[in-house]
Amino acid sequence: PVAEIFQTRGSYEYEGTPRQAKNATPKGWFLQDAWAQGVVIGVIASPDHGGGMGKAAVYAPELSRKAILEAIRQRHTYGTTAAKIALDVRVKGRLMGEKLPASDGTPVKVEIHATCPGDIDRVDVCRSNVFVYTPQVQGKECNITYLDNQPPKGPCYYYVRVIQKDGEI
């Protein structure tokens, strides 16, 4: 249900992404490539073999093995490069990772709350592999509501990327 968007080797978000993994992923094998093919997959990050870089975040209703595994299966997850960034993203009021009916073209509300250990440089909202909104943000915390007034009809997806001034994502 999830894949690593970041690990010690770097980012696997898309070709040309900030902190891209070097010599590890051939063209066509990044996460955006999978999403463009209709693969429904959430993200985590992991320090696996390098130690220290990458954090997996999971929204679970309680701190138990069963609840955490179920939350991972539901894609209620995100990943960070190393910083302990708290991120809550809701699309049409639903928690990140949830599937919604295909768009009928009516406006879509994306709500973002982020709390970061460092100052935020920018927040990017991506719809179906196209960055559609980058609001001005200052400080270590933000509450943003983005109204996508022209979503395409049919299947689409949204995700949010927060980048701190120190380069942590």
Side-chain angles (χ1 to χ4, degrees):
V2 297
E4 283 183 327
I5 196 165
F6 186 86
Q7 59 162 261
T8 297
R9 293 181 188 139
S11 176
Y12 297 89
E13 185 180 355
Y14 61 89
E15 187 171 29
T17 191
R19 297 177 67 173
Q20 178 178 327
K22 305 290 186 230
N23 302 319
T25 302
K27 186 174 182 154
W29 290 89
F30 289 88
L31 278 164
Q32 278 196 356
D33 299 318
W35 294 326
Q37 294 175 29
V39 175
V40 178
I41 192 162
V43 298
I44 60 167
S46 174
D48 57 9
H49 20 249
M53 297 176 76
K55 306 260 186 276
V58 180
Y59 276 94
E62 63 182 49
L63 189 57
S64 70
R65 180 184 177 103
K66 182 179 178 181
I68 292 168
L69 288 173
E70 184 55 31
I72 292 170
R73 288 184 192 103
Q74 293 174 350
R75 298 173 307 279
H76 292 173
T77 61
Y78 65 96
T80 76
T81 54
K84 293 182 179 179
I85 296 172
L87 180 64
D88 186 341
V89 177
R90 310 275 170 152
V91 176
K92 292 187 172 184
R94 305 282 293 276
L95 184 61
M96 62 181 84
E98 293 187 24
K99 282 182 79 171
L100 300 169
S103 172
D104 60 4
T106 59
V108 173
K109 184 163 74 169
V110 180
E111 298 170 285
I112 304 154
H113 176 75
T115 304
C116 301
D119 285 336
I120 299 170
D121 181 51
R122 72 178 197 263
V123 176
D124 298 318
V125 178
C126 187
R127 178 201 342 112
S128 300
N129 291 351
V130 176
F131 290 99
V132 294
Y133 184 61
T134 301
Q136 295 292 321
V137 180
Q138 292 184 356
K140 296 179 180 183
E141 186 171 348
C142 67
N143 288 296
I144 299 164
T145 299
Y146 167 63
L147 188 61
D148 188 353
N149 287 311
Q150 298 179 336
K153 289 186 178 181
C156 66
Y157 56 89
Y158 295 82
Y159 73 89
V160 172
R161 179 175 63 190
V162 177
I163 301 178
Q164 294 184 158
K165 290 185 187 248
D166 65 4
E168 296 300 329
I169 306 169

